[in-house]
């Protein structure tokens, strides 16, 4: 066995006397109800599958450009569903906190725009299932078998996904797994937050609205089998056997509520109502998880999805994720999908996140030898490097790798203390080496090394870079690093290609921008953001302060001629033209000219100081010997100075030469404008490389994003 199974802390006895209110087939919901079994009363008998349909096979390689979008905030293709519930709390042209009106038809109308940019896969953020009328983001579903009327009918979804697949593109859908809407309250705490109670609270319904397929229970069980819990350090938490013994006979966790932000033990996050407004299903209970798995398979089969992205991935109990993912891969394989992709949102440090990647590794399971890590198989002699058995792969990769985002924040000049426990050192070689040693990146289907982390510069839960000083250049440098330097899935966020900068958050501890792609006056009306961002020291607000004065904000932004979009398109084309930039797993730093600066907000308590490294770097991206047989080598050069800087290199001094991975006399060409060429001079460095010129003048951040050659 690879690891100990779930700790048995007593006999598992769930009587669950409260009858679930199963939603039988309802003709009035025929356009939206994924369950087409007209006689089913047990949720596990619900079923539906796309009739007379050939399911789209999985791609063999997921390392392709991915585009993140929220349906409501993208494009409104069917205005008739804007007020689907007939309330005053849905679609409002003057507000940014309600629905904009985007839907699946609007996405279908925009496929030329997306495909023309080189996008190959679409990550649709937010659940497609029915939410409260005002819940535009889709993260608080009320029923996992009924589509949200605001986004479109089953037929409209199927039409759009058919068109997406016909273009050679793929669809990854968000899945909340355990978090639902806000229908359940706790006795004595209906008007205030509910403190954590290991003995759990009595639950009650807040209104007449109910979940159709899940119910709570207040009967107490003296003994329950709890799942394994893990901490920020990546190790199993072993001191809970006396704290967690009994539980309520409930399909929901009733331990209390936690805020979206704050310091809580990870195990408490996994059994508490999230952000005071999202009820949490008890996914560690097998009969509850069986329904969750069944509904996810039902959605997959009715919509022909190609992957799931798991929201709040680290707030799901670990072994439940392994079981759920195994079930979904089996479901997908039955439909002809041999490489169904499952990523998870991992906001904590790498040590805790590594528990969830593949079969999982704790610090005791790390692989010291990098070559061994990438060539490892599922053979039984390797079980000591994993914490779950073969077939129990949890996530294939991290969705928007927050360790990378924190890394980028530092090298792009953000000030403050925002590193997380277990994050690697802030240099790319240490980062990539640490990932190889700590993350199980074997493909669950093939058993082969297959890195599929989603790397990006921004997403729906963080600020937009162009809104701060020098932000456009910072965003482009971050895009360059996550798209060409790191082996993985380059992930774009909607509007990033149009230099979006407006924010629509209302609190300094949760700053994000979700303005629509199509015309919307509200984001200009409310576009002057002056709340700040308390995650950073002296947040350098710039354009975000003046958004309400920008007459371009209310326009349709699907502009194929936008300059940033053209840079992005050209970069994606490089990945296609030079496969080493898409699939090269070897990364080496050749040389650098850098110095450390200590920003005022990064000093830390006492003597602790966190430096920001500034300067110019030279990297090689290439073939991983012993694993790959690629013939190309790429040379990548970048700098992060915020002022014009002239670098002088001495070819005879290895410490100050700009080294390249090619022989002397090689002509290399910049793959970005102005496409200038350089002839490499001889170098005395004892690494079999050459050096570039004796002098290169770089503009602020980058005059040349890439100086690259191929061999």
């Amino acid at each position: 066995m690879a690891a100990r199974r779930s700790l048995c802390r007593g006999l598992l006895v769930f009587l669950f006397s409260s009858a679930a209110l199963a939603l039988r087939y309802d003709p009035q919901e025929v356009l939206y109800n994924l369950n087409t079994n007209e006689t089913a009363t047990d949720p596990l008998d619900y079923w539906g599958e796309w009739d007379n349909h050939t399911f789209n096979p999985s791609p063999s390689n997921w390392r392709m450009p991915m585009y993140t979008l929220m349906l409501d905030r993208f494009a409104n293709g069917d205005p008739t569903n804007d007020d689907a519930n007939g309330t005053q709390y849905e679609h409002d042209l003057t507000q940014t906190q309600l629905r904009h009106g985007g839907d699946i038809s609007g996405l279908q109308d925009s496929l030329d725009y997306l495909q023309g940019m080189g996008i190959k896969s679409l990550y649709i953020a937010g659940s497609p299932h029915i939410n409260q009328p005002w819940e535009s983001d889709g993260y608080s579903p009320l029923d996992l078998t009924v589509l949200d009327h605001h986004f479109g009918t089953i037929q409209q979804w199927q039409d759009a996904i058919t068109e997406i697949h016909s273009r050679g593109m793929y669809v990854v859908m968000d899945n909340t797994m355990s978090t639902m809407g806000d229908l359940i309250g706790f006795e004595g705490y209906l008007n205030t937050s509910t403190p954590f109670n290991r003995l759990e609270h009595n639950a009650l319904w807040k209104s007449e609205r109910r979940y159709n397929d899940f119910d709570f229970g207040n009967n107490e069980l003296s003994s329950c089998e709890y799942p394994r819990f893990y901490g920020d350090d990546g190790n199993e938490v072993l001191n809970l056997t006396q704290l967690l013994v009994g539980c309520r006979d409930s399909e929901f966790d009733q331990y209390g509520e936690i805020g979206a932000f704050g310091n809580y033990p990870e195990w408490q996050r996994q059994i508490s109502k999230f952000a005071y407004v999202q009820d949490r299903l008890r996914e560690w209970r097998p009969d509850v998880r069986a329904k969750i798995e069944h509904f996810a398979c039902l959605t997959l089969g009715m919509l022909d999805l190609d992957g799931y992205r798991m929201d709040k991935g680290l707030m799901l109990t670990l072994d439940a994720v392994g079981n759920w993912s195994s079930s979904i891969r089996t479901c997908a394989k039955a439909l002809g999908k041999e490489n169904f992709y499952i990523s998870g949102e991992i906001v904590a440090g790498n040590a805790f996140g590594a528990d969830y990647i593949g079969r999982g590794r704790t610090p005791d399971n790390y692989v010291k030898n990098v070559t061994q890590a990438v060539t490892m198989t599922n053979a039984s002699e390797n079980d000591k490097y994993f914490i779950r058995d073969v077939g129990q792969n949890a996530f294939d990769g991290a969705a928007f790798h927050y360790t990378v985002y924190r890394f980028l924040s530092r090298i792009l000049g953000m000030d403050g203390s925002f590193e997380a426990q277990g994050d690697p050192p802030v240099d790319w070689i240490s980062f990539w080496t640490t990932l190889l040693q700590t993350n199980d990146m074997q493909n669950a289907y093939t058993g082969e090394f297959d890195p599929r982390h989603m790397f990006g510069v921004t997403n729906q839960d963080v600020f937009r870079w162009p809104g701060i000083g020098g932000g456009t250049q910072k965003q482009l440098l971050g895009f360059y690093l996550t798209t060409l330097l790191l082996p993985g899935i380059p992930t774009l966020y909607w509007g990033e290609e149009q230099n979006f900068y407006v924010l629509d958050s209302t609190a300094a501890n949760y700053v994000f921008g979700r303005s629509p792609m199509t015309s919307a006056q509200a984001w200009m009306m409310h576009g002057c953001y002056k709340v700040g961002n308390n995650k950073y020291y002296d947040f350098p607000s710039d354009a975000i302060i003046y958004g309400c004065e920008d007459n371009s904000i209310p326009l349709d932004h699907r502009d194929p001629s936008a300059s940033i979009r053209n840079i992005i398109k050209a970069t994606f084309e490089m990945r296609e033209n030079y496969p080493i930039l898409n699939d090269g797993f070897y990364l080496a730093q050749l040389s650098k000219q850098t110095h450390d600066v200590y920003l005022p907000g990064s000093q830390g308590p006492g003597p602790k100081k966190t430096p920001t490294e500034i300067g110019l770097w030279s990297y090689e991206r290439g073939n991983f010997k012993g694993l790959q047989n690629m013939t190309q080598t790429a040379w990548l050069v970048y700098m992060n100075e915020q002022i014009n800087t002239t670098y002088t290199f001495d070819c005879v001094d290895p410490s100050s030469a700009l080294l390249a991975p090619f022989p002397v006399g090689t002509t290399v060409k910049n793959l970005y404008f102005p496409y200038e060429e350089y002839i490499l001079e001889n170098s005395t460095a004892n690494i079999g490389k050459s050096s570039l010129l004796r002098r290169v003048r770089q503009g602020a951040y980058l005059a040349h994003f890439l100086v690259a050659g191929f061999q």
Side-chain angles (χ1 to χ4, degrees), residues 59-105:
S60 59
N61 186 345
W62 274 99
R63 284 180 295 280
M64 63 182 75
M66 184 176 288
Y67 191 90
T68 302
L69 62 99
M70 282 183 168
L71 279 182
D72 180 74
R73 299 301 167 82
F74 198 67
N76 191 344
D78 182 7
T80 65
N81 60 31
D82 290 352
D83 293 293
N85 290 83
T87 74
Q88 60 180 323
Y89 305 110
E90 296 171 65
H91 180 247
D92 192 329
L93 293 173
T94 65
Q95 296 294 327
T96 63
Q97 304 303 305
L98 298 178
R99 292 182 185 263
H100 164 63
D103 47 46
I104 193 64
S105 295

Side-chain angles (χ1 to χ4, degrees), residues 370-508:
V370 171
T371 301
Q372 180 186 8
V374 300
T375 58
M376 187 175 295
T377 68
N378 282 328
S380 58
E381 62 266 22
N382 293 323
D383 283 353
K384 62 184 178 181
Y385 296 110
F386 308 102
I387 59 175
R388 289 184 297 281
D389 294 333
V390 173
Q392 294 295 302
N393 297 58
F395 300 146
D396 296 322
F400 185 76
H401 207 296
Y402 275 88
T403 294
V404 170
Y405 179 69
R406 289 185 288 269
F407 190 167
L408 287 174
S409 296
R410 180 66 63 193
I411 67 173
L412 295 181
M414 300 305 292
D415 192 5
S417 299
F418 39 78
E419 285 76 14
Q421 183 175 351
D423 277 347
V426 186
D427 76 79
W428 292 118
I429 301 305
S430 296
F431 167 79
W432 181 236
T433 300
T434 301
L435 281 194
L436 296 177
Q437 295 171 326
T438 62
N439 288 200
D440 170 26
M441 291 186 274
Q442 290 183 24
N443 187 296
Y445 290 91
T446 67
E448 297 177 354
F449 182 72
D450 191 11
R452 287 163 293 165
H453 287 308
M454 294 164 55
F455 297 128
V457 192
T458 185
N459 73 1
Q460 64 269 28
D461 290 318
V462 298
F463 74 94
R464 288 192 179 271
W465 289 94
I468 66 174
T472 298
Q473 292 86 346
K474 294 180 181 184
Q475 179 171 277
L476 282 172
L477 176 54
F479 168 76
Y480 163 81
L481 294 170
T482 56
T483 303
L484 297 182
L485 185 66
L486 295 179
I489 301 174
T491 306
L492 208 63
Y493 176 49
W494 91 85
E496 187 176 336
E497 75 279 12
Q498 298 291 341
N499 216 35
F500 273 19
Y501 67 88
V502 169
L503 303 178
D504 45 344
S505 47
T506 59

Side-chain angles (χ1 to χ4, degrees), residues 635 660 662 665-670 675-680 692 707-710:
W635 181 27
F662 306 117
T666 300
T667 299
V668 294
K669 185 173 185 176
N670 187 358
Y675 313 113
E676 74 276 19
E677 295 183 348
Y678 301 99
I679 299 177
L680 299 180
L692 182 58
V707 180
F710 294 89

Side-chain angles (χ1 to χ4, degrees), residues 407-414 426-428 469-470 473-478 480-481 592-597 599 611-619 637-645 647 698-705:
F407 190 167
L408 287 174
S409 296
R410 180 66 63 193
I411 67 173
L412 295 181
M414 300 305 292
V426 186
D427 76 79
W428 292 118
Q473 292 86 346
K474 294 180 181 184
Q475 179 171 277
L476 282 172
L477 176 54
Y480 163 81
L481 294 170
K592 66 178 181 178
Q593 281 197 24
T594 65
H595 61 280
D596 288 342
V597 298
L599 302 176
T612 297
E613 191 174 13
I614 301 295
L616 181 144
W617 288 260
S618 171
Y619 283 94
V637 178
Y638 76 91
M639 52 88 73
N640 66 340
E641 291 276 9
Q642 300 187 47
I643 57 175
N644 289 336
T645 305
Y647 290 90
Q698 296 280 9
Y701 281 96
L702 286 173
H704 317 297
F705 288 100

Side-chain angles (χ1 to χ4, degrees), residues 117 497 560-571:
M117 188 168 44
E497 75 279 12
S561 66
S563 58
I564 304 300
R565 181 182 183 273
N566 288 334
I567 293 173
I568 289 171
K569 177 181 178 180
T571 306

